Amino acid sequence: MFSKNIYISRRRTLMEKMSATAPEGQRGIAVFIGNAEAPAQYRDNCYKYRQDSTWLYYFGIDQPLYAAVLDFDEGRETIYADDFEIGDIIWMGPQPSVQSVAESVGVAESAPYGALNAVIAKAIASGRKVHYIRPSRYYNKIKLAELTDRKPCEVDDNFSETLTRAIISMRLVKEQCEIEQIDDACALGFEMHTTGRRGIVPGIVEQEIVGRMEGVTMSKGWGPSFPTILTQHGETLHNHTHDKIIEPGKLMVIDAGAENNMHYASDFTRTYPTSGKFTRKQREIYQIVCDCNNLAFELTRPGITYREVHLRTVRLMLEELRALDIVRGNIDNMVEAGIAGLFMPHGLGHNMGLDVHDMEDLNENLVGYDDDQTRSTQLGLGSLRMARRLVPGNVVTDEPGIYFIPALIDQWKAEKTDHGFVNYDRLESYRDFGGIRLEDDVLVTEDGARRTGPARLPITPDEVEAAMEEDRK
Ligand code: GLY
């Protein structure tokens, strides 16, 4: 946990923001539901516990079955949870009281978990607004349904946009203590990826490498920040099967991150030649993606929108693909027509913090788009999760990629989606190429940006080959 002053200060800021949205007496209350345990099979055999990130941000308590109410009219804060009984203590050992836990994060009042129902019922009965954020877990959705007298399927649509916007405005701009945690998670991610790269030896099963990488994160942190992607079929963007034997001559995409013990994330992607050396054809495409990654980083600074960074990055991608005669024609027109989506059907990046895709559970568009921005429907640009005008303290991923997806190529060709810009004769020779993605994590600073973590993973083709040669000595 951070020091309790951090949580006190965050809740005070949230109270101030919410107070500014309505006159006193009409501001209402917010209910925050921390996560419960999620059984994997029977009740006591649960998935590894992970607390809700917004809960962690404002309350820090990393324990299941906590809830809280902030009263924006009266300025009161109350935590709801049950004290452990002897039956729990036999299995879990001595536990602190709920009151002492609440005080450790600067909340003066606590009450049993079950008292929450009456508090919310009373607020509703007296016509007060009950704010809540969109829940990411089913338990929380059911609990909110019970508390607010709705069907579970009605909970999402009735989230409080006012509260959500206030929370997003705070979590989007990382505090110094959070930046330190992200740097720490990136250091662990660096070690995880280095272990992964060293494991690439033809003949072994991919799963072995995944196990070693995730072991690194669990030995020093909470674990992986999302299910590891490690595949010789990088053209499948999120390939979670790891059952293939490593073959020479392939490209291996490793997209993986670590979550540290404070639950901050890292998220890196590198693509390696399984033989240790790129073929000429692999190197040409790899260099384009590397150039795009570097350009995106150079453009990232306060004042520019990440949408603009995305568009200028895919413009470079198209220019370099044109130099290889894979596309033909005017670059402006290609960008406008969304031709880059055939090669990069995802956005340049997303926010990162307590969640690897920070806050996307709350509402992707509210998180990633300014009020004057509209999300595109084009393939690729439409998947851009972070489009906002950047400000210091934003942490984003920079993850361009080029993928040759046979089914997508066939569809575009059949439906003439490319408006004549694609040279399918040339593209045919890339059908079994696979995919390449290169991802760094980037902090927007006062005058530009810096990559988070203590060091950048090898990224140029020469650096990658040299690192792999060293690994194999
Ligand atoms: N790195 C995984 C993702 O961004 O979805």
Side-chain angles (χ1 to χ4, degrees), residues 17-47:
K17 282 178 181 280
M18 291 301 288
S19 298
T21 62
E24 199 176 337
Q26 295 171 32
R27 295 169 189 155
I29 63 173
V31 57
F32 293 85
I33 309 290
N35 284 343
E37 294 277 19
Q41 304 103 15
Y42 65 94
R43 192 196 65 182
D44 292 331
N45 188 14
C46 297
Y47 290 109

PDB file of all heavy atoms in Angstrom, residues 17-47:
ATOM      1  N   LYS A  17     -14.197  17.123  -6.919  1.00  0.00           N
ATOM      2  CA  LYS A  17     -14.686  17.052  -8.305  1.00  0.00           C
ATOM      3  C   LYS A  17     -16.187  16.781  -8.329  1.00  0.00           C
ATOM      4  O   LYS A  17     -16.932  17.389  -9.100  1.00  0.00           O
ATOM      5  CB  LYS A  17     -13.947  15.939  -9.071  1.00  0.00           C
ATOM      6  CG  LYS A  17     -12.549  16.324  -9.524  1.00  0.00           C
ATOM      7  CD  LYS A  17     -11.870  15.157 -10.232  1.00  0.00           C
ATOM      8  CE  LYS A  17     -10.460  15.524 -10.659  1.00  0.00           C
ATOM      9  NZ  LYS A  17     -10.411  16.320 -11.895  1.00  0.00           N
ATOM     10  N   MET A  18     -16.632  15.860  -7.484  1.00  0.00           N
ATOM     11  CA  MET A  18     -18.060  15.534  -7.469  1.00  0.00           C
ATOM     12  C   MET A  18     -18.878  16.685  -6.882  1.00  0.00           C
ATOM     13  O   MET A  18     -20.009  16.920  -7.306  1.00  0.00           O
ATOM     14  CB  MET A  18     -18.296  14.243  -6.679  1.00  0.00           C
ATOM     15  CG  MET A  18     -17.750  13.001  -7.371  1.00  0.00           C
ATOM     16  SD  MET A  18     -18.440  12.706  -9.026  1.00  0.00           S
ATOM     17  CE  MET A  18     -20.105  12.195  -8.606  1.00  0.00           C
ATOM     18  N   SER A  19     -18.295  17.386  -5.940  1.00  0.00           N
ATOM     19  CA  SER A  19     -19.010  18.519  -5.340  1.00  0.00           C
ATOM     20  C   SER A  19     -19.249  19.613  -6.371  1.00  0.00           C
ATOM     21  O   SER A  19     -20.248  20.332  -6.310  1.00  0.00           O
ATOM     22  CB  SER A  19     -18.208  19.096  -4.177  1.00  0.00           C
ATOM     23  OG  SER A  19     -18.072  18.107  -3.198  1.00  0.00           O
ATOM     24  N   ALA A  20     -18.319  19.715  -7.324  1.00  0.00           N
ATOM     25  CA  ALA A  20     -18.450  20.765  -8.339  1.00  0.00           C
ATOM     26  C   ALA A  20     -19.538  20.441  -9.360  1.00  0.00           C
ATOM     27  O   ALA A  20     -19.911  21.286 -10.173  1.00  0.00           O
ATOM     28  CB  ALA A  20     -17.111  20.947  -9.047  1.00  0.00           C
ATOM     29  N   THR A  21     -20.040  19.203  -9.339  1.00  0.00           N
ATOM     30  CA  THR A  21     -20.993  18.813 -10.393  1.00  0.00           C
ATOM     31  C   THR A  21     -22.449  19.102 -10.034  1.00  0.00           C
ATOM     32  O   THR A  21     -23.324  19.015 -10.891  1.00  0.00           O
ATOM     33  CB  THR A  21     -20.884  17.301 -10.705  1.00  0.00           C
ATOM     34  OG1 THR A  21     -21.235  16.573  -9.519  1.00  0.00           O
ATOM     35  CG2 THR A  21     -19.496  16.917 -11.155  1.00  0.00           C
ATOM     36  N   ALA A  22     -22.719  19.381  -8.759  1.00  0.00           N
ATOM     37  CA  ALA A  22     -24.125  19.619  -8.355  1.00  0.00           C
ATOM     38  C   ALA A  22     -24.134  20.430  -7.075  1.00  0.00           C
ATOM     39  O   ALA A  22     -23.172  20.391  -6.298  1.00  0.00           O
ATOM     40  CB  ALA A  22     -24.835  18.281  -8.142  1.00  0.00           C
ATOM     41  N   PRO A  23     -25.233  21.173  -6.826  1.00  0.00           N
ATOM     42  CA  PRO A  23     -25.313  21.927  -5.573  1.00  0.00           C
ATOM     43  C   PRO A  23     -25.391  20.983  -4.371  1.00  0.00           C
ATOM     44  O   PRO A  23     -25.813  19.836  -4.508  1.00  0.00           O
ATOM     45  CB  PRO A  23     -26.621  22.713  -5.701  1.00  0.00           C
ATOM     46  CG  PRO A  23     -27.159  22.433  -7.042  1.00  0.00           C
ATOM     47  CD  PRO A  23     -26.410  21.314  -7.669  1.00  0.00           C
ATOM     48  N   GLU A  24     -24.988  21.507  -3.211  1.00  0.00           N
ATOM     49  CA  GLU A  24     -25.026  20.704  -2.001  1.00  0.00           C
ATOM     50  C   GLU A  24     -26.451  20.183  -1.789  1.00  0.00           C
ATOM     51  O   GLU A  24     -27.429  20.890  -2.052  1.00  0.00           O
ATOM     52  CB  GLU A  24     -24.587  21.543  -0.799  1.00  0.00           C
ATOM     53  CG  GLU A  24     -24.164  20.682   0.361  1.00  0.00           C
ATOM     54  CD  GLU A  24     -23.625  21.503   1.521  1.00  0.00           C
ATOM     55  OE1 GLU A  24     -23.183  22.645   1.285  1.00  0.00           O
ATOM     56  OE2 GLU A  24     -23.657  20.989   2.640  1.00  0.00           O
ATOM     57  N   GLY A  25     -26.547  18.958  -1.335  1.00  0.00           N
ATOM     58  CA  GLY A  25     -27.857  18.351  -1.126  1.00  0.00           C
ATOM     59  C   GLY A  25     -28.308  17.535  -2.330  1.00  0.00           C
ATOM     60  O   GLY A  25     -29.201  16.706  -2.232  1.00  0.00           O
ATOM     61  N   GLN A  26     -27.659  17.775  -3.496  1.00  0.00           N
ATOM     62  CA  GLN A  26     -28.063  17.028  -4.709  1.00  0.00           C
ATOM     63  C   GLN A  26     -26.916  16.210  -5.295  1.00  0.00           C
ATOM     64  O   GLN A  26     -26.987  15.752  -6.424  1.00  0.00           O
ATOM     65  CB  GLN A  26     -28.569  18.008  -5.768  1.00  0.00           C
ATOM     66  CG  GLN A  26     -29.832  18.735  -5.359  1.00  0.00           C
ATOM     67  CD  GLN A  26     -30.162  19.849  -6.341  1.00  0.00           C
ATOM     68  OE1 GLN A  26     -29.891  19.756  -7.530  1.00  0.00           O
ATOM     69  NE2 GLN A  26     -30.734  20.932  -5.825  1.00  0.00           N
ATOM     70  N   ARG A  27     -25.817  16.093  -4.514  1.00  0.00           N
ATOM     71  CA  ARG A  27     -24.635  15.418  -5.077  1.00  0.00           C
ATOM     72  C   ARG A  27     -24.731  13.904  -4.943  1.00  0.00           C
ATOM     73  O   ARG A  27     -24.183  13.175  -5.754  1.00  0.00           O
ATOM     74  CB  ARG A  27     -23.380  15.917  -4.360  1.00  0.00           C
ATOM     75  CG  ARG A  27     -23.138  17.382  -4.620  1.00  0.00           C
ATOM     76  CD  ARG A  27     -22.067  17.928  -3.722  1.00  0.00           C
ATOM     77  NE  ARG A  27     -22.002  19.365  -3.835  1.00  0.00           N
ATOM     78  CZ  ARG A  27     -21.533  20.165  -2.888  1.00  0.00           C
ATOM     79  NH1 ARG A  27     -21.092  19.654  -1.733  1.00  0.00           N
ATOM     80  NH2 ARG A  27     -21.501  21.459  -3.076  1.00  0.00           N
ATOM     81  N   GLY A  28     -25.391  13.463  -3.910  1.00  0.00           N
ATOM     82  CA  GLY A  28     -25.607  12.032  -3.731  1.00  0.00           C
ATOM     83  C   GLY A  28     -24.427  11.315  -3.108  1.00  0.00           C
ATOM     84  O   GLY A  28     -23.541  11.923  -2.499  1.00  0.00           O
ATOM     85  N   ILE A  29     -24.427   9.999  -3.297  1.00  0.00           N
ATOM     86  CA  ILE A  29     -23.371   9.172  -2.717  1.00  0.00           C
ATOM     87  C   ILE A  29     -22.790   8.302  -3.822  1.00  0.00           C
ATOM     88  O   ILE A  29     -23.425   8.105  -4.865  1.00  0.00           O
ATOM     89  CB  ILE A  29     -23.920   8.271  -1.587  1.00  0.00           C
ATOM     90  CG1 ILE A  29     -24.978   7.274  -2.138  1.00  0.00           C
ATOM     91  CG2 ILE A  29     -24.525   9.099  -0.451  1.00  0.00           C
ATOM     92  CD1 ILE A  29     -25.430   6.252  -1.098  1.00  0.00           C
ATOM     93  N   ALA A  30     -21.585   7.794  -3.569  1.00  0.00           N
ATOM     94  CA  ALA A  30     -21.011   6.800  -4.494  1.00  0.00           C
ATOM     95  C   ALA A  30     -20.762   5.536  -3.714  1.00  0.00           C
ATOM     96  O   ALA A  30     -20.259   5.581  -2.588  1.00  0.00           O
ATOM     97  CB  ALA A  30     -19.700   7.311  -5.091  1.00  0.00           C
ATOM     98  N   VAL A  31     -21.128   4.420  -4.336  1.00  0.00           N
ATOM     99  CA  VAL A  31     -20.827   3.131  -3.716  1.00  0.00           C
ATOM    100  C   VAL A  31     -19.724   2.461  -4.537  1.00  0.00           C
ATOM    101  O   VAL A  31     -19.788   2.420  -5.766  1.00  0.00           O
ATOM    102  CB  VAL A  31     -22.095   2.258  -3.573  1.00  0.00           C
ATOM    103  CG1 VAL A  31     -22.793   2.015  -4.893  1.00  0.00           C
ATOM    104  CG2 VAL A  31     -21.756   0.935  -2.909  1.00  0.00           C
ATOM    105  N   PHE A  32     -18.692   1.999  -3.837  1.00  0.00           N
ATOM    106  CA  PHE A  32     -17.560   1.296  -4.463  1.00  0.00           C
ATOM    107  C   PHE A  32     -17.575  -0.149  -3.970  1.00  0.00           C
ATOM    108  O   PHE A  32     -17.596  -0.377  -2.750  1.00  0.00           O
ATOM    109  CB  PHE A  32     -16.229   1.942  -4.071  1.00  0.00           C
ATOM    110  CG  PHE A  32     -16.042   3.320  -4.623  1.00  0.00           C
ATOM    111  CD1 PHE A  32     -16.551   4.425  -3.957  1.00  0.00           C
ATOM    112  CD2 PHE A  32     -15.368   3.520  -5.820  1.00  0.00           C
ATOM    113  CE1 PHE A  32     -16.389   5.704  -4.466  1.00  0.00           C
ATOM    114  CE2 PHE A  32     -15.199   4.800  -6.347  1.00  0.00           C
ATOM    115  CZ  PHE A  32     -15.714   5.898  -5.664  1.00  0.00           C
ATOM    116  N   ILE A  33     -17.567  -1.084  -4.895  1.00  0.00           N
ATOM    117  CA  ILE A  33     -17.588  -2.499  -4.517  1.00  0.00           C
ATOM    118  C   ILE A  33     -16.223  -3.097  -4.842  1.00  0.00           C
ATOM    119  O   ILE A  33     -15.834  -3.192  -6.009  1.00  0.00           O
ATOM    120  CB  ILE A  33     -18.670  -3.277  -5.313  1.00  0.00           C
ATOM    121  CG1 ILE A  33     -20.030  -2.568  -5.235  1.00  0.00           C
ATOM    122  CG2 ILE A  33     -18.758  -4.716  -4.832  1.00  0.00           C
ATOM    123  CD1 ILE A  33     -20.697  -2.612  -3.893  1.00  0.00           C
ATOM    124  N   GLY A  34     -15.498  -3.499  -3.815  1.00  0.00           N
ATOM    125  CA  GLY A  34     -14.235  -4.210  -4.054  1.00  0.00           C
ATOM    126  C   GLY A  34     -14.544  -5.615  -4.544  1.00  0.00           C
ATOM    127  O   GLY A  34     -15.675  -6.101  -4.417  1.00  0.00           O
ATOM    128  N   ASN A  35     -13.553  -6.289  -5.108  1.00  0.00           N
ATOM    129  CA  ASN A  35     -13.798  -7.621  -5.660  1.00  0.00           C
ATOM    130  C   ASN A  35     -13.969  -8.669  -4.564  1.00  0.00           C
ATOM    131  O   ASN A  35     -13.405  -8.539  -3.478  1.00  0.00           O
ATOM    132  CB  ASN A  35     -12.659  -8.032  -6.586  1.00  0.00           C
ATOM    133  CG  ASN A  35     -12.745  -7.320  -7.924  1.00  0.00           C
ATOM    134  OD1 ASN A  35     -13.801  -6.769  -8.275  1.00  0.00           O
ATOM    135  ND2 ASN A  35     -11.657  -7.319  -8.665  1.00  0.00           N
ATOM    136  N   ALA A  36     -14.713  -9.712  -4.913  1.00  0.00           N
ATOM    137  CA  ALA A  36     -14.847 -10.893  -4.055  1.00  0.00           C
ATOM    138  C   ALA A  36     -13.925 -11.982  -4.603  1.00  0.00           C
ATOM    139  O   ALA A  36     -13.368 -11.847  -5.695  1.00  0.00           O
ATOM    140  CB  ALA A  36     -16.294 -11.356  -4.077  1.00  0.00           C
ATOM    141  N   GLU A  37     -13.757 -13.056  -3.843  1.00  0.00           N
ATOM    142  CA  GLU A  37     -13.048 -14.222  -4.371  1.00  0.00           C
ATOM    143  C   GLU A  37     -13.876 -14.822  -5.513  1.00  0.00           C
ATOM    144  O   GLU A  37     -15.110 -14.745  -5.507  1.00  0.00           O
ATOM    145  CB  GLU A  37     -12.895 -15.294  -3.281  1.00  0.00           C
ATOM    146  CG  GLU A  37     -11.998 -14.893  -2.125  1.00  0.00           C
ATOM    147  CD  GLU A  37     -10.519 -15.113  -2.400  1.00  0.00           C
ATOM    148  OE1 GLU A  37     -10.129 -15.243  -3.585  1.00  0.00           O
ATOM    149  OE2 GLU A  37      -9.759 -15.137  -1.420  1.00  0.00           O
ATOM    150  N   ALA A  38     -13.194 -15.438  -6.480  1.00  0.00           N
ATOM    151  CA  ALA A  38     -13.889 -16.105  -7.589  1.00  0.00           C
ATOM    152  C   ALA A  38     -13.514 -17.589  -7.583  1.00  0.00           C
ATOM    153  O   ALA A  38     -12.369 -17.932  -7.904  1.00  0.00           O
ATOM    154  CB  ALA A  38     -13.507 -15.459  -8.916  1.00  0.00           C
ATOM    155  N   PRO A  39     -14.445 -18.454  -7.187  1.00  0.00           N
ATOM    156  CA  PRO A  39     -14.098 -19.879  -7.138  1.00  0.00           C
ATOM    157  C   PRO A  39     -13.730 -20.436  -8.513  1.00  0.00           C
ATOM    158  O   PRO A  39     -14.410 -20.139  -9.510  1.00  0.00           O
ATOM    159  CB  PRO A  39     -15.379 -20.537  -6.614  1.00  0.00           C
ATOM    160  CG  PRO A  39     -16.126 -19.441  -5.946  1.00  0.00           C
ATOM    161  CD  PRO A  39     -15.796 -18.194  -6.706  1.00  0.00           C
ATOM    162  N   ALA A  40     -12.658 -21.237  -8.544  1.00  0.00           N
ATOM    163  CA  ALA A  40     -12.302 -21.912  -9.786  1.00  0.00           C
ATOM    164  C   ALA A  40     -13.112 -23.189  -9.916  1.00  0.00           C
ATOM    165  O   ALA A  40     -13.527 -23.557 -11.005  1.00  0.00           O
ATOM    166  CB  ALA A  40     -10.812 -22.229  -9.803  1.00  0.00           C
ATOM    167  N   GLN A  41     -13.316 -23.882  -8.800  1.00  0.00           N
ATOM    168  CA  GLN A  41     -14.219 -25.048  -8.781  1.00  0.00           C
ATOM    169  C   GLN A  41     -15.086 -24.927  -7.533  1.00  0.00           C
ATOM    170  O   GLN A  41     -16.038 -24.180  -7.535  1.00  0.00           O
ATOM    171  CB  GLN A  41     -13.433 -26.375  -8.777  1.00  0.00           C
ATOM    172  CG  GLN A  41     -12.457 -26.553  -9.923  1.00  0.00           C
ATOM    173  CD  GLN A  41     -11.041 -26.318  -9.494  1.00  0.00           C
ATOM    174  OE1 GLN A  41     -10.738 -26.292  -8.292  1.00  0.00           O
ATOM    175  NE2 GLN A  41     -10.168 -26.145 -10.463  1.00  0.00           N
ATOM    176  N   TYR A  42     -14.714 -25.605  -6.466  1.00  0.00           N
ATOM    177  CA  TYR A  42     -15.546 -25.504  -5.256  1.00  0.00           C
ATOM    178  C   TYR A  42     -15.231 -24.202  -4.516  1.00  0.00           C
ATOM    179  O   TYR A  42     -14.247 -23.521  -4.821  1.00  0.00           O
ATOM    180  CB  TYR A  42     -15.360 -26.730  -4.354  1.00  0.00           C
ATOM    181  CG  TYR A  42     -13.984 -26.897  -3.771  1.00  0.00           C
ATOM    182  CD1 TYR A  42     -13.675 -26.406  -2.500  1.00  0.00           C
ATOM    183  CD2 TYR A  42     -12.975 -27.549  -4.486  1.00  0.00           C
ATOM    184  CE1 TYR A  42     -12.419 -26.560  -1.963  1.00  0.00           C
ATOM    185  CE2 TYR A  42     -11.716 -27.707  -3.946  1.00  0.00           C
ATOM    186  CZ  TYR A  42     -11.441 -27.209  -2.681  1.00  0.00           C
ATOM    187  OH  TYR A  42     -10.190 -27.350  -2.156  1.00  0.00           O
ATOM    188  N   ARG A  43     -16.063 -23.850  -3.554  1.00  0.00           N
ATOM    189  CA  ARG A  43     -16.039 -22.519  -2.937  1.00  0.00           C
ATOM    190  C   ARG A  43     -14.661 -22.066  -2.457  1.00  0.00           C
ATOM    191  O   ARG A  43     -14.292 -20.901  -2.582  1.00  0.00           O
ATOM    192  CB  ARG A  43     -17.019 -22.499  -1.753  1.00  0.00           C
ATOM    193  CG  ARG A  43     -17.290 -21.121  -1.214  1.00  0.00           C
ATOM    194  CD  ARG A  43     -17.924 -21.178   0.162  1.00  0.00           C
ATOM    195  NE  ARG A  43     -16.994 -21.750   1.141  1.00  0.00           N
ATOM    196  CZ  ARG A  43     -17.287 -21.960   2.421  1.00  0.00           C
ATOM    197  NH1 ARG A  43     -18.488 -21.698   2.864  1.00  0.00           N
ATOM    198  NH2 ARG A  43     -16.388 -22.469   3.247  1.00  0.00           N
ATOM    199  N   ASP A  44     -13.901 -23.019  -1.879  1.00  0.00           N
ATOM    200  CA  ASP A  44     -12.639 -22.606  -1.261  1.00  0.00           C
ATOM    201  C   ASP A  44     -11.423 -22.769  -2.172  1.00  0.00           C
ATOM    202  O   ASP A  44     -10.291 -22.575  -1.719  1.00  0.00           O
ATOM    203  CB  ASP A  44     -12.422 -23.400   0.044  1.00  0.00           C
ATOM    204  CG  ASP A  44     -13.450 -22.986   1.092  1.00  0.00           C
ATOM    205  OD1 ASP A  44     -13.903 -21.829   1.052  1.00  0.00           O
ATOM    206  OD2 ASP A  44     -13.819 -23.833   1.928  1.00  0.00           O
ATOM    207  N   ASN A  45     -11.647 -23.168  -3.416  1.00  0.00           N
ATOM    208  CA  ASN A  45     -10.513 -23.255  -4.344  1.00  0.00           C
ATOM    209  C   ASN A  45     -10.709 -22.174  -5.394  1.00  0.00           C
ATOM    210  O   ASN A  45     -11.379 -22.365  -6.402  1.00  0.00           O
ATOM    211  CB  ASN A  45     -10.451 -24.636  -5.002  1.00  0.00           C
ATOM    212  CG  ASN A  45      -9.178 -24.802  -5.811  1.00  0.00           C
ATOM    213  OD1 ASN A  45      -8.240 -24.011  -5.685  1.00  0.00           O
ATOM    214  ND2 ASN A  45      -9.127 -25.825  -6.647  1.00  0.00           N
ATOM    215  N   CYS A  46     -10.122 -21.030  -5.099  1.00  0.00           N
ATOM    216  CA  CYS A  46     -10.417 -19.839  -5.913  1.00  0.00           C
ATOM    217  C   CYS A  46      -9.288 -19.503  -6.873  1.00  0.00           C
ATOM    218  O   CYS A  46      -8.145 -19.890  -6.669  1.00  0.00           O
ATOM    219  CB  CYS A  46     -10.640 -18.642  -4.978  1.00  0.00           C
ATOM    220  SG  CYS A  46     -12.051 -18.887  -3.918  1.00  0.00           S
ATOM    221  N   TYR A  47      -9.635 -18.748  -7.910  1.00  0.00           N
ATOM    222  CA  TYR A  47      -8.601 -18.131  -8.743  1.00  0.00           C
ATOM    223  C   TYR A  47      -7.788 -17.194  -7.858  1.00  0.00           C
ATOM    224  O   TYR A  47      -8.283 -16.692  -6.836  1.00  0.00           O
ATOM    225  CB  TYR A  47      -9.237 -17.314  -9.873  1.00  0.00           C
ATOM    226  CG  TYR A  47      -9.915 -18.164 -10.919  1.00  0.00           C
ATOM    227  CD1 TYR A  47     -11.301 -18.184 -11.024  1.00  0.00           C
ATOM    228  CD2 TYR A  47      -9.164 -18.928 -11.803  1.00  0.00           C
ATOM    229  CE1 TYR A  47     -11.923 -18.965 -11.990  1.00  0.00           C
ATOM    230  CE2 TYR A  47      -9.791 -19.707 -12.763  1.00  0.00           C
ATOM    231  CZ  TYR A  47     -11.165 -19.728 -12.853  1.00  0.00           C
ATOM    232  OH  TYR A  47     -11.774 -20.498 -13.799  1.00  0.00           O
TER     233      TYR A  47
END
